């Protein structure tokens, strides 16, 4: 009996217990003693089995406690899952263990962690719900044990899964579900290792597998279910930590956005209060949004620009038409829009479009930055309105100066110059004088349109007897070109045809007043000619310009009208000018003209063809013929013989 106790304490093999009875028989023990010893040996073997079960349970509980400890100190989900899979393999004594997780986007499960696997094909398997043993576990949320996977017909075999299992060499496989929200403990198991399930959401499957046929006991199924529960908790905890981290990031991002918005509000408010200009607004917004920024008027002309790296600064600025179109899109959408790689925000005062902000170098604007950009549009609108109000006030004061200049320039020229300097107007520099008029229905809009037209430029305007007079510094632009540019812009602003006449450049009050008189006569001539909505200077009106202009520049008129003929006669020694004069003097009759010139009629015809080639096909039209005859008379009156320069 003492020997049996020693064997129990040493956890000796079962055959060592049988050797005790055999030795007693050899030693001649009696039948009664042998019977008693055999009963004691059976009891010792049962005690040994119970102790072994207890030790196994202790080992399993220790593994579960270690797993729980790993979960409590969860830092790396992959490391925890690897530890669980390794313990499953160790406790069940299988060749391999592995874990698959659900992929909601793909609608299947994929291999996440393996231990003891040697096949790359097996390690990259994906199982659809219901396919293979694992797919069946994921679909039914119940554990399944297969002593021999190859011959088991309880689940659907597929070529790819069977190929991976065969490549790994697996035969006996046990799979249990990873459940979240399950009721109670591990699923109950039936006689064949199949569980009845206990509800919950299946997020994956934990497997233990041998490369030889193997039945799995209910205790082994329960143990693997416990480990699967720990794995599910680890995954759920990791997801919760991830969600918390993402929530924390969102909160921090929102706090940063609020701080930036507060900073932006303070900076932009300060700009308005201290009378900042558009360049300062552009610099502040470009700095806050980390991009390049330009500010444009309603016609796409740039008013301010700050920053580097955008298309506006690399020599290829956007076309004004594109800027106008994008501003209209922003106006219609009532928020900033992304077009052609740029953000555009309409600058509005009510429904009036004052201009646009254009941001470069930012492919994406989150909501806080987008709201900041749109708020900058409101601040820009406020500054533009303030600037316009100041400009209108200044223009009214300057308008009084213009009215005195045009009505009594000779009374006190020096005093007018001094008044102008006090108002920031230099009357001693060359200026073009433009006179504009529109139809009666919208005449009251023209003065405001003139202020907008001159906004940002160094010019002044004033109402004068139903017209608007604009003094524009001479920039080398021809008066006629300046008039036509004003026609286009003022007509757009007024919404009706505007007629503009220009004169100058002129310097000093007296000369400016005279230029105004000439421009006003030119305006009336345009209207008399039916050229409403057009622009021109007196010089461009031909002989009417000679009659209307203050300079009476006869030589220029003659040269402009007869120049090609005069040059041809001078070079070739011909008499085209004399021939043309005779032709008009004879009423356009060829026979009388050839008699007057003592030439053959064919020679006269040839000369007239040459005249047409030099002057153009319409030279004999009534209006053009009148100009030619006037130029011929002025040429003769100037002392030149016919046919000479």
């Amino acid at each position: 009996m003492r020997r049996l106790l020693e064997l129990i304490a040493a956890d000796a093999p079962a055959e060592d217990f049988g050797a005790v009875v055999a030795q007693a028989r050899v030693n001649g023990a009696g039948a009664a003693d042998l019977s008693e010893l055999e009963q004691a040996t059976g009891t010792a073997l049962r005690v040994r089995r119970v102790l072994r079960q207890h030790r196994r349970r202790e080992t399993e509980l220790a593994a579960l406690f270690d797993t729980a400890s790993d979960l409590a100190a969860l830092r790396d989900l992959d490391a925890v899952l690897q530890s669980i899979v390794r313990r499953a393999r160790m406790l069940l004594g299988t060749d391999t263990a592995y874990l698959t997780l659900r992929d909601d986007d793909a609608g299947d499960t994929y291999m996440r962690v393996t231990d003891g696997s040697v096949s790359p094909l097996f390690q990259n398997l994906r199982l659809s719900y219901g396919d293979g043993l694992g797919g069946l576990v994921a679909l039914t949320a119940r554990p399944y044990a297969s002593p021999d996977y190859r011959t088991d017909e309880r689940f659907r075999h597929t070529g790819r899964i069977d190929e991976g299992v065969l490549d790994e060499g697996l035969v006996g496989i046990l799979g249990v579900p990873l459940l979240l929200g399950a009721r109670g403990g591990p699923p109950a198991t039936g006689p064949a290792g199949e569980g009845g399930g206990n509800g919950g959401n299946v997020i994956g499957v934990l497997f233990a597998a041998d490369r030889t046929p193997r039945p799995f006991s209910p205790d082994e199924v329960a143990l693997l279910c416990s480990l699967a529960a720990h794995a599910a908790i680890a995954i759920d905890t990791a997801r919760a930590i991830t969600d918390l981290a993402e929530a924390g990031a969102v909160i921090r991002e929102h706090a940063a956005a609020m701080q930036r918005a507060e900073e932006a509000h303070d900076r932009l408010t300060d700009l308005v209060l201290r009378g900042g200009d558009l360049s300062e607004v552009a610099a502040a917004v470009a700095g806050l949004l980390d991009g390049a920024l330009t500010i444009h008027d309603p016609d796409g002309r740039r008013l301010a620009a700050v920053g580097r790296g955008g298309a506006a600064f690399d020599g290829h600025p956007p076309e004004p038409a594109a800027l106008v179109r994008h501003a209209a899109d922003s106006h219609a959408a009532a928020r900033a829009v992304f077009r052609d790689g740029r953000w555009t925000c309409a600058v509005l005062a009510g429904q009036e479009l004052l201009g646009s902000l254009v941001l470069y170098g930012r492919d994406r604007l989150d909501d806080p930055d987008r709201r900041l950009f749109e708020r900058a549009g409101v601040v820009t609108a406020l500054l533009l309105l303030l600037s316009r109000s100041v400009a209108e006030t200044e223009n009214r004061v300057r308008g009084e100066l213009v009215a005195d200049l045009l009505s009594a320039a000779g009374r006190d020229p020096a005093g007018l110059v001094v008044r102008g300097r006090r108002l920031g107007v230099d009357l001693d520099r060359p200026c073009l004088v433009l006179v504009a008029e529109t139809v009666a229905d919208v005449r009251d809009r023209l003065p405001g349109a003139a202020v907008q037209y001159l906004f940002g430029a160094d010019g002044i305007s004033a109402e004068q007897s139903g017209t608007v007079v604009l003094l524009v510094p001479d920039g080398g632009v021809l008066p006629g070109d300046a008039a036509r540019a004003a026609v286009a812009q003022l007509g757009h602003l007024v919404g009706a045809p505007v007629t503009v006449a220009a004169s100058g450049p002129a310097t000093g009050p007296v000369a400016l007043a005279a230029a105004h008189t000439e421009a006003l006569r030119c305006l009336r001539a345009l209207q008399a000619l039916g050229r409403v909505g057009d622009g021109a200077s007196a010089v461009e009106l031909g002989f009417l310009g000679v009659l209307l202009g203050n300079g009476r520049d006869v030589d220029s008129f003659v040269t402009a009208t007869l120049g090609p003929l005069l040059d041809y006669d001078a070079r070739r020694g011909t008499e085209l000018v004399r021939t043309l004069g005779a032709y008009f003097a004879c009423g356009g009759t060829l026979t009388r003209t050839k008699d007057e010139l003592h030439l053959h009629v064919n020679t006269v015809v040839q000369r007239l063809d040459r005249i047409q080639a030099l002057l153009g096909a319409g030279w004999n039209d009534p209006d053009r013929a009148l100009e030619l005859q006037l130029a011929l008379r002025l040429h003769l009156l100037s002392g030149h013989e016919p046919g000479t320069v």
Side-chain angles (χ1 to χ4, degrees):
M1 295 295 291
R2 188 166 52 248
R3 177 60 180 161
L4 289 175
L5 291 175
E6 290 173 349
L7 291 174
I8 291 173
D11 192 23
E15 54 268 22
D16 290 352
F17 287 84
V20 173
V21 177
Q23 185 63 42
R25 189 176 289 112
V26 170
N27 292 337
D33 291 336
L34 289 174
S35 176
E36 185 70 22
L37 186 57
E38 288 174 352
Q39 292 179 12
T41 299
T43 300
L45 287 171
R46 287 195 298 274
V47 170
R48 170 182 170 275
R49 185 165 56 252
V50 170
L51 289 175
R52 281 198 165 186
Q53 290 176 345
H54 286 173
R55 280 194 293 271
R56 182 171 59 81
R57 292 302 298 167
E58 287 175 0
T59 301
E60 293 172 355
L61 289 173
L64 292 175
F65 282 132
D66 290 342
T67 302
S69 178
D70 289 343
L71 292 177
L74 178 63
R75 293 294 182 270
D76 184 353
L77 176 62
D78 285 336
V80 173
L81 294 180
Q82 187 67 57
S83 174
I84 291 172
V85 170
R86 186 176 298 113
R87 286 182 181 130
R89 180 188 175 197
M90 177 189 68
L91 292 174
L92 273 68
T94 55
D95 295 323
T96 183
Y98 49 97
L99 183 146
T100 62
L101 290 181
R102 184 177 68 195
D103 186 340
D104 290 329
D105 293 333
D108 59 8
T109 60
Y110 66 98
M111 199 74 69
R112 175 66 182 269
V113 181
T114 65
D115 189 71
S117 172
V118 296
S119 168
L121 177 62
F122 178 77
Q123 293 165 9
N124 291 282
L125 273 181
R126 299 188 75 96
L127 291 75
S128 300
Y129 297 131
D131 289 345
L133 186 145
L136 185 60
V137 172
L139 183 65
T140 62
R142 300 191 307 178
Y144 277 84
S146 176
D148 189 342
Y149 178 88
R150 297 166 298 183
T151 61
D152 199 330
E153 298 297 331
R154 291 176 299 166
F155 44 82
R156 184 166 61 242
H157 289 262
T158 65
R160 179 166 177 78
I161 296 176
D162 287 354
E163 183 182 355
V165 171
L166 179 62
D167 194 53
E168 188 66 56
L170 300 182
V171 180
I173 303 176
L174 168 63
V176 299
L178 276 64
L179 295 169
L180 288 181
R183 299 186 301 273
T189 58
E194 298 179 4
N198 64 346
N201 179 30
V202 179
I203 62 171
V205 179
L206 178 62
F207 298 87
D210 261 347
R211 293 188 174 92
T212 57
R214 170 175 173 172
F216 290 91
S217 68
D219 288 342
E220 290 173 322
V221 175
L223 174 60
L224 196 62
C225 285
S226 297
L227 289 171
H230 282 80
I233 293 172
I235 294 169
D236 191 38
T237 303
R239 288 177 176 174
I241 292 174
T242 301
D243 290 343
L244 286 174
E246 291 176 353
V250 170
I251 292 172
R252 288 192 297 272
E253 182 179 349
H254 180 69
M258 292 293 292
Q259 184 176 357
R260 290 183 62 200
E262 183 178 353
E263 177 187 355
H265 177 77
D266 292 343
R267 290 181 63 178
L268 295 176
T269 301
D270 179 65
L271 280 175
V272 175
L273 293 178
R274 62 183 175 83
D277 58 19
L278 295 180
S279 295
E280 291 179 286
V281 171
V285 177
L288 290 167
L289 295 179
D290 190 25
L293 188 118
T294 55
I295 302 177
H296 301 266
D297 69 6
D299 298 307
R301 293 176 297 196
R302 188 187 300 177
L303 302 177
V306 173
R308 295 192 303 270
F313 308 105
D314 63 4
H316 302 285
E319 292 292 332
L323 294 170
V324 172
R325 188 168 59 253
H326 299 164
D329 291 345
S330 174
H331 188 182
R335 67 177 315 179
V337 297
F338 188 70
R339 299 286 188 275
D340 295 342
R342 303 180 297 269
W343 286 94
T344 300
C345 179
V347 177
L348 302 171
Q351 290 301 310
E352 180 185 357
L353 181 65
L354 301 180
S356 61
L357 299 182
V358 182
L359 179 66
Y360 304 84
R362 290 289 300 271
D363 293 335
R364 180 180 177 276
L365 285 181
D366 54 21
D367 284 342
D369 282 352
R370 192 167 182 174
R371 287 194 295 270
L372 192 159
F373 185 44
E374 292 164 353
R375 179 177 298 223
V378 175
V379 172
T380 303
L382 180 58
L383 285 180
L384 287 174
L385 288 174
L386 289 174
S387 299
R388 183 195 291 180
S389 177
V390 171
E392 289 175 350
T393 302
E394 292 178 347
N395 200 68
R396 281 195 296 272
V397 177
R398 292 174 175 178
E400 297 174 1
L401 171 67
V402 174
D404 292 343
L405 172 69
L406 300 180
S407 60
R411 185 181 305 164
D412 185 12
L416 289 172
V417 171
V418 172
R419 282 177 58 191
R421 288 173 180 167
R422 285 200 297 264
L423 296 174
V425 179
D426 187 0
L427 298 179
D428 281 337
R429 65 178 175 179
C431 289
L432 296 178
V433 180
L434 279 66
V435 181
E437 190 172 57
T438 187
V439 295
D441 293 345
V442 294
R443 187 170 294 163
D444 57 338
R445 300 181 192 171
L446 188 56
V451 174
Q452 288 184 256
Y453 174 67
L454 294 174
F455 184 67
D458 192 10
I460 58 175
S461 63
E463 289 187 77
Q464 184 73 13
S465 303
T467 66
V468 172
V469 181
L470 299 90
L471 300 185
V472 182
D474 178 28
V477 179
L478 293 175
D481 293 338
R484 283 181 286 276
V487 164
Q489 295 296 323
L490 293 174
H492 172 71
L493 293 170
V494 170
V498 176
T499 308
V500 180
S503 182
T507 303
V510 175
L512 289 171
H516 168 258
T517 301
E518 179 178 313
L520 186 59
R521 287 201 299 262
C522 181
L523 177 69
R524 299 304 174 217
L526 287 172
Q527 294 169 336
L529 292 171
R531 292 172 60 178
V532 174
D534 197 359
S537 64
V539 174
E540 295 175 332
L541 294 183
F543 74 91
L544 285 176
V546 175
L547 297 175
L548 299 172
N550 293 327
R552 304 291 196 271
D553 191 354
V554 173
D555 289 340
S556 295
F557 171 68
V558 171
T559 300
T561 307
L562 298 176
L565 303 185
L566 294 170
D567 291 343
Y568 192 88
D569 284 348
R571 290 196 315 269
R572 303 289 183 92
T574 56
E575 295 183 335
L576 295 183
V577 173
R578 180 169 175 262
T579 302
L580 183 63
Y583 177 75
F584 282 132
C586 295
T589 304
L590 291 176
T591 55
R592 291 177 58 192
T593 303
K594 61 102 174 171
D595 292 339
E596 176 70 21
L597 297 174
H598 305 290
L599 297 173
H600 192 277
V601 68
N602 290 339
T603 303
V604 175
V605 171
Q606 290 173 2
R607 289 185 180 183
L608 292 177
D609 288 342
R610 175 60 59 185
I611 289 171
Q612 178 169 309
L614 293 172
L615 297 181
W619 69 274
N620 206 16
D621 292 342
D623 289 344
R624 185 72 184 282
L626 180 59
E627 285 192 1
L628 289 170
Q629 292 179 65
L630 178 60
L632 287 168
R633 292 296 181 91
L634 292 173
H635 183 59
L636 289 174
L637 290 174
S638 64
H640 295 289
E641 292 295 329
T644 64
V645 179

